[in-house]
């Protein structure tokens, strides 16, 4: 994967691949969108670091690093929000069908069981935490649509969740690439940190917490997700 993305680093194709993966994984949670985001950032940072070793000035390399990392964050965050809203709208119009679709997916059913109580408690922060949890994004986006949350309630939290998730993944890849170069070791360490954040998100969502009235709970969310 590193070699393939390395050949596309700095071209529009890497953003297209990352964006499409992030957009679609709300429907197909097995897609490794987080891994792709990290790998793209690791490859870009590692390539810049290697370029510095052969004479590219640090200021030029630093400006290119910042521009590419910001572009990756914006690409992944935008795709995340678009995917959330598509799932939300589809679930709004066809709640029963999405209930059945979730029931047929072992991964989504497991996520529903883990996150159901937290979603019942509500709170906008749940949307952000769920973005890091395995399949949590799918459960929250579909659940918000089935429960007929308003766009004003859901969209700002979806945008914050997408931006936080994208920034975290790109930062992990960038630090790994700067530290160990574009290697599978740096990618593996960054991916481990991403999964650790997912485990922490699930833990925090299971903790009892006071309801946040900004994203009010409805009794249908846990049952509909």
């Amino acid at each position: 994967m590193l070699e393939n993305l390395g050949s596309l680093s700095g071209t529009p194709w890497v953003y297209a691949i990352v964006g499409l993966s992030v957009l679609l994984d709300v429907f197909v949670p097995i897609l490794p969108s987080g891994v792709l985001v990290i790998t793209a950032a690791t490859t870009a940072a590692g390539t810049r670091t290697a370029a510095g070793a052969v004479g590219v000035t640090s200021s030029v390399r630093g400006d290119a690093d910042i521009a590419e990392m910001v572009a990756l964050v914006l690409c992944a965050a935008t795709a995340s929000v678009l995917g959330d809203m598509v799932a939300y709208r589809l679930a709004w119009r066809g709640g029963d069908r999405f209930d059945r679709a979730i029931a047929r997916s072992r991964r989504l059913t497991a996520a529903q069981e883990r996150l159901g109580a937290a979603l019942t408690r509500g709170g906008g922060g749940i949307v952000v935490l769920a973005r890091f949890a395995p399949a949590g994004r799918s459960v929250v986006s579909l659940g918000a649509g089935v429960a007929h949350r308003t766009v004003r309630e859901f969209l700002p939290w979806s945008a914050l969740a997408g931006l936080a998730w994208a920034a975290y993944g790109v930062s992990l890849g960038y630090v790994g690439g700067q530290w160990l170069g574009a290697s599978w070791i740096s990618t593996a360490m960054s991916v481990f940190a991403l999964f650790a954040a997912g485990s922490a998100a699930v833990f925090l969502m299971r903790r009892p917490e006071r309801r946040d009235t900004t994203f009010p709970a409805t009794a249908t969310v846990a049952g509909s997700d």
Side-chain angles (χ1 to χ4, degrees):
M1 183 181 292
L2 283 172
E3 292 78 5
N4 293 335
L5 282 181
S7 64
L8 298 175
S9 182
T11 71
W13 285 108
V14 70
Y15 302 107
I17 293 170
V18 168
L20 186 62
S21 176
V22 174
L23 177 67
L24 293 179
D25 82 351
V26 69
F27 301 105
V28 189
I30 61 173
L31 286 177
S33 61
V35 177
L36 279 177
V37 169
I38 287 174
T39 303
T42 300
T43 303
T47 302
R48 302 291 183 194
T49 301
V54 295
V56 178
T57 62
S58 59
S59 60
V60 172
R61 190 171 73 250
D63 291 343
D65 279 345
I66 293 173
E68 192 155 6
M69 295 306 112
V70 169
L72 274 173
V73 169
L74 293 178
C75 172
T78 301
S80 178
V81 175
L82 288 176
D84 287 355
M85 294 309 297
V86 171
Y88 162 82
R89 283 298 187 186
L90 290 175
W92 180 293
R93 297 178 180 179
D96 291 341
R97 285 179 295 174
F98 278 91
D99 276 346
R100 292 193 293 270
I102 289 175
R104 287 195 298 267
S105 170
R106 183 178 302 175
R107 185 179 177 86
L108 287 178
T109 300
Q112 177 186 342
E113 293 172 354
R114 290 196 304 269
L115 308 180
L119 292 175
T120 302
R121 289 196 301 270
I126 294 298
V127 181
V128 180
L129 285 175
R131 186 61 185 87
F132 291 84
R137 174 195 182 196
S138 302
V139 172
V140 168
S141 298
L142 296 175
V146 170
H148 286 191
R149 309 276 192 178
T150 66
V151 173
R152 186 171 59 183
E153 289 174 335
F154 180 62
L155 180 57
W157 291 106
S158 171
L160 179 60
L163 185 61
W165 174 83
Y168 181 70
V170 170
S171 297
L172 288 176
Y174 177 75
V175 171
Q178 288 284 312
W179 184 26
L180 296 172
S183 67
W184 69 268
I185 297 177
S186 59
T187 302
M189 292 179 64
S190 299
V191 169
F192 176 79
L194 182 67
F195 285 132
S199 298
V202 172
F203 172 77
L204 290 173
M205 292 177 72
R206 286 175 171 174
R207 293 179 60 188
E209 62 184 7
R210 186 169 55 187
R211 181 177 299 172
D212 181 353
T213 56
T214 305
F215 194 65
T218 63
T220 59
V221 175
S224 299
D225 290 345

